[in-house]
Amino acid sequence: MIGVGRVDRIAEPWGTRTPYGCGEVWPVRVDTHLADGVRAEDVERWVGTASILHSNGDAMDIAVKDGRMVGVRGRADDRVNHGRLGPKDLFGWQANASSDRLTQPLIRVDGRLVECDWDTAMDRITTRTKELLKEQGPSAIGFYTTGQLFAEEYYTLGVIAHGGIGTNHVDGNTRLCTATAAAALKESFGCDGQPGSYTDIDHADVIALFGHNMAETQSVLWSRVLDRLVGPNPPALVCVDPRLTAVAQAATVHLAPKPGTNVALMNGVLREIIDNGWIDQDYIDKHVVGFGELRARVKEYPPERAADICDVPAQKIREAARVLGGARRLLSTVLQGFYQSHQATAAAVQVNNMHLVRGMLGKPGCGVLQMNGQPTAQNTRECGADGDLPGFRNWANDAHVEELARVWNVESAQIPHYAPPTHAMQMIRYVEDGSIRLLWVSGTNPAVSLPELGRIRSVLSQERLFLVVQDLFLTETAQLADVVLPAATWGEKTGTFTNADRTVHLSEKAVEPPGEARPDLDIFLDYARQLDLRDKDGQPLVKWHDAESAFEAWKECSRGRPCDYTGITYAKLRERGGIQWPCNEDNPEGTERLYAGGTFWSDPEYCESYGRDLITGAPVEPQEYKAMNPSAKAVIKAAAYQPPHEPADEDYPFLLTTGRTLFHFHTRTKTARSPQLQAAAPEVWVECSTRDAAATGLREGDLAEVSTPRGSIRAAVRISGIRDGVLFLPFHYGYWDTPAGHEPDLHGRAANELTLTDWDPASKQPIFKTAAAALHRIEPGHGPSLAPTNTASAPAANDLPRTAGGAEAEAEENRGTAPEGGAR
Ligand SMILES: Nc1nc2c(c(=O)[nH]1)N[C@H]1C(S)=C(S)[C@@H](COP(=O)(O)OP(=O)(O)OC[C@H]3O[C@@H](n4cnc5c(=O)[nH]c(N)nc54)[C@H](O)[C@@H]3O)O[C@H]1N2
Ligand SMILES: Nc1nc2c(c(=O)[nH]1)N[C@H]1C(S)=C(S)[C@@H](COP(=O)(O)OP(=O)(O)OC[C@H]3O[C@@H](n4cnc5c(=O)[nH]c(N)nc54)[C@H](O)[C@@H]3O)O[C@H]1N2
Ligand SMILES: [Mo]
């Protein structure tokens, strides 16, 4: 083996460089981390899976010894990561064995949660369900799920909710996460599904990241970009982000706009591209509708005007447009800096427009990745657990509903399709006003992750609400529940999931779940059984009994649809590793890129959606759509810029934005239980610029109060490279890990105490990236803040020691060859 080394992967999150050139194959580097004292030869089994702590889909094996997880190793032969793992992949698995896992169901008795058996817990839930169905009907029941279960589980939940109970109130936290990815893809291409592929990184000569801190949120994908950057013919990089992320530092052009101004920026860039003729008129004529409208709209945004709105130099907009317009193979990625804002879909669609006017789709190096965030968010969308109908079927197309009714063997009237599915923020509103009485939350922690937490806590703790929470831990949300169900998770159950470039992986059970914890699938199957849900012939509605039979059922439902899984089997996934859908008779090996040759899924009879008005969100009528796009072309939609709804003012002079750090995942239920990750970012901080710190009389590490019209929290100040006028808070820090004997400080540290109840009109994704805020000094700190120093939160003065993990955080890197015994 060549180049074996040990690397502190907290200090070096992206590991050692393996340079490669344009069009070459990304070299293999296999990363392994084993628990202290465990040697590779001690490992009894390696069990195949992929990462569950982001959307990248890094393929890996779990090391098992004496029935316990003892480490992980990247899979050399998988298309996604070629063996590499990121810090969360390497260390996050330790949370599974945490001593405070839920091991038994809990029910509320006299105001307190007490342990009980499964029959008692499930009986409470089914009894309450039946009562409500009788008293109020299906709309009394809502399901709020996640982007972190498996496809089989979502499909089962979708069948129960839509086909069995008949409620339209089904959504996932994917609403907070990738609703805009789905919405933008539907607007432009008539259907969800990423056009691009990760291999586009190997071929691109320009890579553009829009509101996407890939270095921290898809760290293995960023390693791929870094390896291109140090190889021959490196690509140029464009970064649009108000913070000085590692992406921004590596960029050829970095634009740091004022939060909430993305549409103005994109319009400015598009105007330059169109004005300079950097377009593919032939492609536009053949494959696109709506170009005229775009050309007219962006005329209103000369670089000077866009620069004024975004507060960036006009010259930089020109420079960015020149790089983007000169690209021969352009890859763009889009994520939360675009998605979690008031014009989310409008902004994300402009990135699609850029690719359409330049004809850069469906060819190596030419791709758009409207990224996902959560590991299995793609499946929530595909399987209909986000409220949409499974298989990307169109709720406004009766033929699609009838087809689905045939697959499920139910009457089509049974499947709610009278209106768009209820989105999560609206579901919370229905709980608030008392029309939803039973809310079943699985795999998400809304008491930390939804905006305006004061409101969320009061909504979820209402007496009249029957709240079911299905989780691994007694989270902030679980503490408010009437019934808590202990779930088995990744590594303890089997199922499939699909990453951001349509790669499907099989995740196999490696160890037994703790105590009486059960796979989410078994819980849903049990619920269907106890409710005695039937099809129209009186047979059980849910006809499967385990993960593989659920997968086979889902395959049938996907047949003939864009996300066609019919050519995939568990056996094939075991043998081959990741496979990209569609995979069927026509494409038995899967499909690398969509929309080659300008063929789209946007035919009125086939498309997933007729789209929406980007400004009002009103659904486009079928007739309107047919008139606009009769022959399955791509759709260009223009949008005027609108200012954010809560601008800064005298009382709240800053713009607050929120997001992530490399070392934590969301509400930290897993990463805070991993010693290496928790140590790297143990406490909340707030970032501000050098200028703003000086003006506010703040020094590094001082305790500050951050407030918005919703509330205030306290955090230690990190003076970082963030742009002036903007504050950044990581949203990872809730209250569950308050030390014993201390009251949780509800005015403590969760970013979402401060965020607002508001969303994008088209995707309904909440706005986490802009709010008006104030910053005040409370008292001096005890030294610098505990924010990481090797990420976007690095100190502007570069005067603090680099975050490191020491010996505990070392991983082995094997370069060039697969480890003995292959990758499985
Ligand atoms: N380490 C880690 N990785 C993760 C996750 C995690 O929690 N931790 N979560 C996963 C999930 S579910 C998701 S959704 C993804 C999210 O991945 P990202 O979207 O990459 O992460 P964020 O930090 O939410 O936001 C990205 C960037 O948007 C910038 N931004 C803020 N406001 C604006 C704006 O108005 N315009 C522009 N252009 N940029 C702006 C922020 O400065 C930030 O750097 O990460 C996934 N991967
Ligand atoms: N201010 C602000 N807020 C945000 C964001 C932001 O950028 N800023 N980002 C938003 C985004 S993109 C996202 S994705 C959300 C994430 O928000 P959440 O989904 O609330 O965050 P997680 O901590 O991932 O919560 C997942 C829960 O599921 C549990 N879980 C894990 N695996 C399993 C399993 O197999 N079965 C079951 N039943 N439970 C499991 C975990 O223990 C955890 O409690 O936050 C959103 N909120
Ligand atoms: Mo997300």
Side-chain angles (χ1 to χ4, degrees):
M1 237 177 271
I2 45 164
V4 181
R6 296 185 70 79
V7 176
D8 174 348
R9 292 296 302 281
I10 296 291
E12 304 298 336
W14 307 290
T16 312
R17 297 282 54 77
T18 52
Y20 72 123
C22 189
E24 292 172 10
V25 175
W26 190 27
V28 166
R29 186 193 85 198
V30 176
D31 298 346
T32 309
H33 175 72
L34 294 174
D36 212 17
V38 177
R39 296 163 310 166
E41 50 272 32
D42 301 334
V43 174
E44 288 155 14
R45 283 182 301 133
W46 295 93
V47 181
T49 181
S51 176
I52 197 82
L53 295 172
H54 48 74
S55 61
N56 208 51
D58 303 337
M60 59 166 99
D61 293 314
I62 298 171
V64 181
K65 180 176 183 287
D66 302 328
R68 299 178 50 192
M69 292 187 190
V70 292
V72 289
R73 178 175 75 189
R75 268 153 77 162
D77 59 354
D78 195 273
R79 64 175 305 279
V80 168
N81 53 326
H82 297 206
R84 285 163 195 74
L85 295 177
K88 290 200 276 46
D89 306 340
L90 289 164
F91 309 118
W93 55 272
Q94 299 167 94
N96 277 52
S98 178
S99 59
D100 60 348
R101 282 285 297 275
L102 291 167
T103 53
Q104 261 195 289
L106 308 173
I107 51 172
R108 195 166 291 279
V109 178
D110 300 329
R112 285 184 41 245
L113 285 170
V114 297
E115 292 191 343
C116 68
D117 58 26
W118 273 100
D119 286 346
T120 309
M122 290 307 290
D123 186 58
R124 280 221 175 177
I125 300 170
T126 39
T127 302
R128 189 69 192 126
T129 306
K130 287 177 189 162
E131 280 169 11
L132 285 167
L133 284 174
K134 215 185 222 152
E135 288 164 20
Q136 224 180 299
S139 64
I141 296 163
F143 295 92
Y144 182 45
T145 189
T146 182
Q148 301 175 39
L149 305 185
F150 295 162
E152 295 78 357
E153 297 170 329
Y154 298 131
Y155 182 58
T156 304
L157 178 63
V159 175
I160 292 171
H162 286 127
I165 291 173
T167 177
N168 207 21
H169 307 326
V170 187
D171 202 358
N173 65 359
T174 46
R175 187 64 59 183
L176 324 180
C177 181
T178 58
T180 303
L185 293 167
K186 290 183 210 175
E187 291 298 337
S188 302
F189 311 118
C191 190
D192 197 344
Q194 297 298 341
S197 168
Y198 289 168
T199 54
D200 288 333
I201 292 176
D202 310 346
H203 300 279
D205 65 342
V206 177
I207 302 177
L209 294 95
F210 296 96
H212 181 196
N213 185 5
M214 188 197 282
E216 295 188 53
T217 58
Q218 281 169 293
S219 63
V220 166
L221 204 61
W222 181 243
S223 299
R224 195 166 187 152
V225 174
L226 287 178
D227 286 344
R228 280 277 335 259
L229 289 176
V230 294
N233 314 313
L237 226 57
V238 175
C239 169
V240 182
D241 194 310
R243 297 166 70 216
L244 191 58
T245 60
V247 178
Q249 294 201 359
T252 318
V253 187
H254 173 210
L255 293 157
K258 249 167 56 181
T261 63
N262 297 313
V263 168
L265 186 87
M266 290 309 300
N267 282 353
V269 166
L270 279 165
R271 180 192 147 113
E272 281 294 289
I273 288 177
I274 294 171
D275 261 18
N276 285 295
W278 296 322
I279 58 173
D280 183 341
Q281 192 64 51
D282 187 50
Y283 187 91
I284 296 172
D285 294 343
K286 284 202 185 108
H287 305 302
V288 174
V289 297
F291 177 61
E293 188 199 336
L294 180 73
R295 189 172 43 200
R297 176 62 71 195
V298 301
K299 269 259 174 277
E300 299 162 21
Y301 297 85
E304 280 67 26
R305 176 167 180 231
D308 196 42
I309 295 170
C310 305
D311 191 27
V312 299
Q315 200 39 45
K316 282 230 163 169
I317 295 182
R318 290 206 171 82
E319 215 178 302
R322 196 161 43 240
V323 173
L324 295 164
R328 280 170 300 141
R329 292 173 306 278
L330 171 64
L331 171 67
S332 297
T333 75
V334 191
L335 203 45
Q336 300 307 356
F338 270 42
Y339 294 171
Q340 292 174 335
S341 63
H342 67 294
Q343 284 195 291
T345 310
V349 157
Q350 301 318 311
V351 178
N352 296 342
N353 289 348
M354 181 170 69
H355 283 260
L356 288 170
V357 300
R358 302 220 58 231
M360 294 216 174
L361 278 177
K363 298 180 285 196
C366 301
V368 180
L369 291 161
Q370 296 282 353
M371 280 292 180
N372 294 340
Q374 290 176 90
T376 76
Q378 189 65 47
N379 309 101
T380 318
R381 278 143 55 187
E382 291 160 10
C383 298
D386 66 341
D388 283 341
L389 298 181
F392 296 155
R393 287 183 175 81
N394 188 344
W395 62 267
N397 183 334
D398 287 342
H400 287 199
V401 180
E402 275 156 30
E403 188 186 47
L404 185 62
R406 268 196 306 281
V407 175
W408 289 350
N409 196 33
V410 298
E411 300 295 344
S412 58
Q414 169 71 16
I415 302 171
H417 59 284
Y418 46 86
T422 316
H423 62 91
M425 297 298 286
Q426 187 63 40
M427 274 169 54
I428 294 294
R429 176 74 192 121
Y430 288 155
V431 174
E432 188 169 39
D433 73 16
S435 68
I436 290 182
R437 289 297 176 93
L438 187 160
L439 184 68
W440 188 328
V441 174
S442 49
T444 180
N445 188 8
V448 180
S449 57
L450 281 177
E452 206 180 341
L453 289 182
R455 169 176 178 255
I456 298 302
R457 274 190 298 271
S458 90
V459 171
L460 294 183
S461 48
Q462 290 177 87
E463 193 61 38
R464 65 185 171 190
L465 173 69
F466 188 85
L467 180 66
V468 180
V469 175
Q470 184 168 316
D471 205 293
L472 319 180
F473 299 102
L474 195 61
T475 60
E476 292 84 347
T477 309
Q479 290 176 31
L480 306 174
D482 296 284
V483 178
V484 178
L485 302 176
T489 188
W490 176 91
E492 302 161 355
K493 63 182 184 181
T494 294
T496 53
F497 55 91
T498 306
N499 78 346
D501 86 338
R502 293 175 283 103
T503 305
V504 185
H505 284 114
L506 177 64
S507 178
E508 307 223 49
K509 176 173 172 176
V511 300
E512 289 301 324
E516 291 181 26
R518 299 174 69 193
D520 296 274
L521 179 66
D522 292 2
I523 300 173
F524 294 143
L525 289 174
D526 198 23
Y527 182 58
R529 222 167 10 241
Q530 293 206 27
L531 285 181
D532 198 25
L533 300 174
R534 300 271 162 175
D535 67 12
K536 67 179 181 191
D537 295 327
Q539 296 303 308
L541 173 70
V542 178
K543 297 175 176 62
W544 46 95
H545 56 275
D546 65 1
E548 192 158 5
S549 55
F551 185 72
E552 290 299 318
W554 157 240
K555 278 165 61 177
E556 274 318 302
C557 185
S558 76
R559 185 180 292 280
R561 295 301 301 162
C563 52
D564 194 329
Y565 280 66
T566 48
I568 305 179
T569 60
Y570 274 22
K572 199 160 162 184
L573 291 168
R574 275 188 194 114
E575 190 196 320
R576 284 232 351 226
I579 301 174
Q580 286 172 293
W581 66 247
C583 177
N584 49 20
E585 254 173 37
D586 294 342
N587 312 284
E589 302 303 313
T591 308
E592 178 104 58
R593 290 181 188 83
L594 306 182
Y595 311 141
T599 313
F600 297 95
W601 285 318
S602 54
D603 183 273
E605 299 310 326
Y606 191 72
C607 69
E608 182 188 5
S609 166
Y610 300 127
R612 289 174 182 270
D613 184 281
L614 297 183
I615 301 294
T616 65
V620 174
E621 292 297 320
Q623 292 313 323
E624 271 179 90
Y625 181 87
K626 282 177 196 163
M628 169 194 61
N629 188 22
S631 50
K633 294 187 175 185
V635 178
I636 284 187
K637 279 196 180 174
Y641 164 73
Q642 297 186 319
H645 302 168
E646 191 176 76
D649 62 17
E650 223 166 83
D651 296 334
Y652 298 101
F654 292 96
L655 287 175
L656 171 68
T657 194
T658 64
R660 295 162 166 75
T661 188
L662 200 151
F663 302 108
H664 279 303
F665 185 64
H666 301 169
T667 73
R668 290 179 309 124
T669 64
K670 288 185 174 172
T671 50
R673 290 174 170 94
S674 151
Q676 296 88 340
L677 298 169
Q678 175 65 3
E683 239 321 330
V684 70
W685 70 91
V686 57
E687 287 170 36
C688 70
S689 74
T690 307
R691 183 203 77 177
D692 292 337
T696 318
L698 284 164
R699 297 212 295 200
E700 169 66 35
D702 283 357
L703 188 66
E705 185 180 73
V706 189
S707 42
T708 69
R710 270 78 49 200
S712 63
I713 65 146
R714 290 174 175 206
V717 171
R718 163 56 48 86
I719 301 172
S720 75
I722 194 167
R723 61 158 287 152
D724 291 335
V726 179
L727 308 177
F728 172 85
L729 274 173
F731 83 102
H732 304 297
Y733 300 88
Y735 314 103
W736 63 261
D737 53 348
T738 305
H742 288 69
E743 273 297 298
D745 174 8
L746 291 184
H747 304 285
R749 55 178 187 168
N752 283 323
E753 303 292 345
L754 309 180
T755 48
L756 63 169
T757 301
D758 197 358
W759 51 84
D760 172 58
S763 68
K764 320 295 181 195
Q765 184 159 348
I767 299 169
F768 292 114
K769 295 285 190 264
T770 45
L775 179 69
H776 296 289
R777 183 170 185 271
I778 303 286
E779 61 190 38
H782 315 280
S785 78
L786 299 176
T789 58
N790 56 350
T791 62
S793 56
N798 196 17
D799 55 354
L800 295 173
R802 192 177 167 84
T803 298
E808 299 283 282
E810 279 183 6
E812 196 177 287
E813 290 183 344
N814 292 296
R815 303 264 290 274
T817 57
E820 255 170 79
R824 239 144 304 170

